[in-house]
């Protein structure tokens, strides 16, 4: 028989875990981790340059400097698996007196591109590999997958525990959630560190600003939610275990 306190703790931890997993899944699948804001462009010469950046971004060869320049100049957004630019729908948008209609065009990172090394000077393969940026980039897309995998594993164990009507695996499930929260927090830290290093080696154009997007904040929120779920699970497991041993000792006595 499970005490009402433990049952309440388990229900709340399940709700927190589901919320955290949904937030993290949405964050991983969206591109609004970092947002660039660039000024509007008028004039055919500048428009021609931006059209070239757009074409290279969509169909050009994968190159960090190329897609970074496009993100800087075309109000780009950068996520873990997506990079997007905001482009006008009309070819002759620069001649329009009012603000032209804009649309978002996105390109996904392939798995091989995720493992492409970063260089000390983006675009210059002779400058040598930047190991810190390379491994920060790889960690930022691998760690959230590890986090989601740990939560799924914890969920499977929890379902089996419910079927067996046992609280014994609860402590292990709590540890899995704690590790998942730490992996998510590490993802955000790796992403912020990687973007800071990128901006040190790639100077932003004039009047171009960068800001953190809502996808990153969703991932950041999911980390403490996983940790709170872990704390409740560990407390329920430890308290139930202590009460069980006390009851056993009382019956023996």
């Amino acid at each position: 028989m499970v005490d009402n306190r433990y049952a309440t703790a388990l229900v709340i931890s399940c709700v927190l875990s589901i919320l955290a997993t949904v937030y993290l899944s949405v964050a991983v699948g969206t591109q609004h981790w970092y947002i660039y804001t660039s000024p509007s462009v008028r004039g055919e010469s500048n428009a021609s340059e931006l059209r070239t950046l757009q074409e290279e971004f969509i169909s050009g060869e994968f190159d960090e400097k190329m897609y970074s320049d496009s993100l800087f100049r075309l109000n780009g957004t950068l996520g873990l698996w997506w990079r997007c630019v905001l482009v006008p729908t009309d070819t002759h948008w620069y001649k329009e007196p009012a603000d032209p209609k804009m649309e978002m065009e996105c390109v996904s990172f392939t798995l091989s591109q995720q493992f492409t090394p970063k260089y000390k000077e983006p675009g210059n393969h002779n400058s040598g590999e930047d190991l810190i940026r390379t491994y920060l980039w790889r960690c930022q897309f691998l760690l959230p997958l590890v986090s989601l995998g740990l939560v799924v594993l914890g969920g499977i164990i929890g379902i089996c525990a419910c079927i067996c009507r046992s609280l014994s695996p609860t402590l292990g499930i709590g540890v899995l959630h704690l590790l998942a929260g730490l992996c998510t927090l590490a993802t955000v830290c790796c992403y912020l560190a990687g973007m800071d290093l990128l901006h040190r080696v790639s100077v932003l154009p004039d009047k171009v600003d960068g800001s953190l997007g809502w996808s990153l904040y969703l991932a950041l929120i999911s980390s403490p939610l996983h940790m709170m779920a872990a704390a409740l699970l560990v407390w329920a497991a430890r308290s139930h275990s202590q009460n069980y041993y006390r009851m056993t000792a009382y019956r023996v006595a």
Side-chain angles (χ1 to χ4, degrees):
M1 186 70 177
V2 179
D3 190 280
N4 287 336
R5 295 175 299 166
Y6 309 143
T8 303
L10 292 176
V11 171
I12 295 175
S13 64
C14 288
V15 173
L16 291 174
S17 176
I18 292 172
L19 283 176
T21 304
V22 170
Y23 286 168
L24 181 58
S25 300
V26 172
V28 171
T30 52
Q31 72 275 11
H32 297 279
W33 283 65
Y34 203 88
I35 301 171
Y36 294 100
T37 305
S38 55
S40 58
V41 176
R42 297 297 178 187
E44 188 170 357
S45 58
N46 291 332
S48 177
E49 179 185 353
L50 295 186
R51 278 199 301 270
T52 301
L53 286 174
Q54 176 187 351
E55 292 172 358
E56 291 179 349
F57 180 84
I58 300 299
S59 57
E61 183 179 353
F62 179 77
D63 180 79
E64 185 183 23
K65 179 173 175 53
M66 181 274 295
Y67 76 73
S68 295
D69 289 342
S70 299
L71 292 174
F72 297 158
R73 300 289 303 279
L74 297 174
N75 296 289
T77 57
L78 182 64
L80 301 183
W81 287 92
W82 294 92
R83 56 189 191 273
C84 302
V85 292
L86 195 62
V87 296
T89 57
D90 188 6
T91 307
H92 302 287
W93 57 272
Y94 57 89
K95 296 181 180 179
E96 296 182 8
D99 292 334
K101 294 182 180 179
M102 308 295 285
E103 63 178 1
M104 187 76 73
E105 291 194 3
C106 298
V107 179
S108 63
F109 292 102
T110 64
L111 189 60
S112 61
Q113 290 172 353
Q114 294 281 25
F115 286 96
T116 301
K118 308 296 180 183
Y119 298 97
K120 296 179 180 178
E121 296 179 9
N124 183 4
H125 294 192
N126 297 323
S127 60
E129 183 179 353
D130 191 332
L131 292 177
I132 296 178
R133 290 204 307 120
T134 297
Y135 285 100
L136 283 174
W137 182 274
R138 293 174 183 177
C139 288
Q140 78 183 23
F141 88 89
L142 286 174
L143 285 175
L145 301 181
V146 173
S147 179
L148 291 172
L150 290 172
V151 174
V152 170
L153 178 61
I156 294 173
I157 296 174
I159 292 173
C160 295
C162 289
I163 294 174
C164 298
R165 296 183 180 181
S166 173
L167 278 178
S168 300
T170 306
L171 181 60
I173 298 172
V175 173
L176 290 176
H177 277 76
L178 177 60
L179 293 175
L182 292 175
C183 287
T184 303
L185 183 60
T187 299
V188 175
C189 293
C190 289
Y191 188 87
L192 293 175
M195 293 303 297
D196 181 66
L197 292 176
L198 173 63
H199 293 156
R200 291 185 183 183
V201 296
S202 300
V203 180
L204 290 176
D206 294 336
K207 299 181 180 180
V208 174
D209 297 321
S211 60
L212 303 179
W214 57 266
S215 297
L216 184 141
Y217 288 115
L218 277 183
L220 193 59
I221 292 172
S222 72
S223 177
L225 290 179
H226 273 139
M227 293 182 182
M228 286 189 288
L232 287 173
L233 289 167
V234 171
W235 173 82
R238 295 288 294 173
S239 299
H240 178 74
S241 177
Q242 291 174 0
N243 287 341
Y244 176 78
Y245 289 133
R246 288 173 186 170
M247 292 295 296
T248 302
Y250 175 78
R251 290 175 181 174
V252 171

